[in-house]
Amino acid sequence: MKSSENMLIQKGIRPTAMRMLILEYLEKQLAATGLSDLERNFERGDRITLYRTLKTFEEKGVVHKIIDGSEEAKYAVCFEDCYEHHHHDMHAHFKCKICHETFCLRNSIRQSVVPAGFSVDEISLVAYGVCPRCKK
Amino acid sequence: MKSSENMLIQKGIRPTAMRMLILEYLEKQLAATGLSDLERNFERGDRITLYRTLKTFEEKGVVHKIIDGSEEAKYAVCFEDCYEHHHHDMHAHFKCKICHETFCLRNSIRQSVVPAGFSVDEISLVAYGVCPRCKK
DNA sequence: GCAGGCTATGCAACCGGATTGCATTTCTAC
DNA sequence: GTAGAAATGCAATCCGGTTGCATAGCCTGC
Ligand SMILES: [Mn+2]
Ligand SMILES: [Mn+2]
Ligand SMILES: [Zn+2]
Ligand SMILES: [Zn+2]
């Protein structure tokens, strides 16, 4: 059994052919991936199916959504233990204004960015600038 | 001369009646404000005018935009020195899942959230959870 | 004060991503 | 194998956000 298949089953997702292909594709990506990117790479699959696949993956804790201020939402495979309807992706993201890619940064946000009195479930952090590769 | 009028002139914005009203309204708010909120509170003003006012304010450094993952973008008056097309709002935001309000937090973000090699222009940080007031 | 020119406003239309409804196909459990 | 549940495909819709254009308003130079 493929590792992608196994992963989906563990997360309570029926491992259809399309879903496995999409998961394997997402796992290969260095940058976060949007729906339009999937559309280009899975012309066989219907746009809506791709959309719903991402949504299911997100709900079940396979990927997390990144709102980077571009036209569309991006998604990246979770690297912490995320479960159904429960992400804990306390890490930052970086959107490069040169290559327009959005990356997950593994540094976890440990310092208290929020004053006492607030209880934090989740954090969305996107930094904007130039990535090391584009910085020449 | 009103302080709102003065503020607009300093930022290179013609201080029309509507703009001053909107700025004064925004300055009163504790939470970030979206277009639909303005629509409700300025029924006299056209939706598009309100939209363009926010856009102008943002471009000229009067307010900053906050993408908090809700349906619409929110705006809050800048409290650092922001200039035309140049914001430096390195501060966090907090969106409460009970009252659904989004607040600016004055804590400035230490830049250590991003590894060496990246150059950071701007940071968007939104924490999600429960605000002190809703925590009983 | 007045005319000309630039800016702001109002209205209508459009756009693109996100989302939903429903019929059909595919898969899983028995 | 069959019945029921889930996934898929296709069409339609929603809804912020955005733009084009005509009109009204403001500021300037004369
Ligand atoms: Mn990430
Ligand atoms: Mn803010
Ligand atoms: Zn780059
Ligand atoms: Zn609250």
Side-chain angles (χ1 to χ4, degrees), chain B residues 96-101 103 129-135:
Chain B
C96 174
K97 65 180 172 189
I98 308 289
C99 62
H100 306 296
E101 302 276 29
F103 309 96
V130 182
C131 75
R133 220 180 46 181
C134 291
K135 238 167 76 179

Side-chain angles (χ1 to χ4, degrees), chain A residues 2-3 17 33 35 40 43 52 54 60 75 104 112 115 123:
Chain A
K2 283 180 163 180
S3 91
T33 307
L35 181 56
R40 276 189 300 276
E43 301 189 354
R52 280 195 270 234
L54 288 175
K60 300 290 189 173
Y75 297 83
C104 294
S112 53
I123 289 182

Side-chain angles (χ1 to χ4, degrees), chain B residues 90-108:
Chain B
M90 300 295 227
H91 62 265
H93 301 92
F94 191 90
K95 179 168 170 55
C96 174
K97 65 180 172 189
I98 308 289
C99 62
H100 306 296
E101 302 276 29
T102 298
F103 309 96
C104 294
L105 304 177
R106 295 206 158 246
N107 302 38
S108 89

Side-chain angles (χ1 to χ4, degrees), chain A residues 67-69 92-94 97 103 105-107 109 111-133 135, chain B residues 67 69 92-94 97 103 105-107 109-133 135:
Chain A
I67 307 292
D68 66 4
H93 301 92
F94 191 89
K97 64 182 174 188
F103 309 97
L105 305 177
R106 294 205 160 247
N107 302 39
I109 307 167
Q111 78 236 81
S112 53
V113 292
V114 168
F118 293 85
S119 43
V120 177
D121 294 334
E122 223 175 305
I123 289 182
S124 156
L125 195 162
V126 184
Y128 299 88
V130 181
C131 75
R133 223 181 45 182
K135 238 166 81 180
Chain B
I67 307 291
H93 301 92
F94 191 90
K97 65 180 172 189
F103 309 96
L105 304 177
R106 295 206 158 246
N107 302 38
I109 302 167
R110 281 171 284 176
Q111 222 157 296
S112 54
V113 294
V114 169
F118 293 85
S119 44
V120 178
D121 294 336
E122 223 175 304
I123 289 182
S124 156
L125 195 163
V126 183
Y128 299 88
V130 182
C131 75
R133 220 180 46 181
K135 238 167 76 179

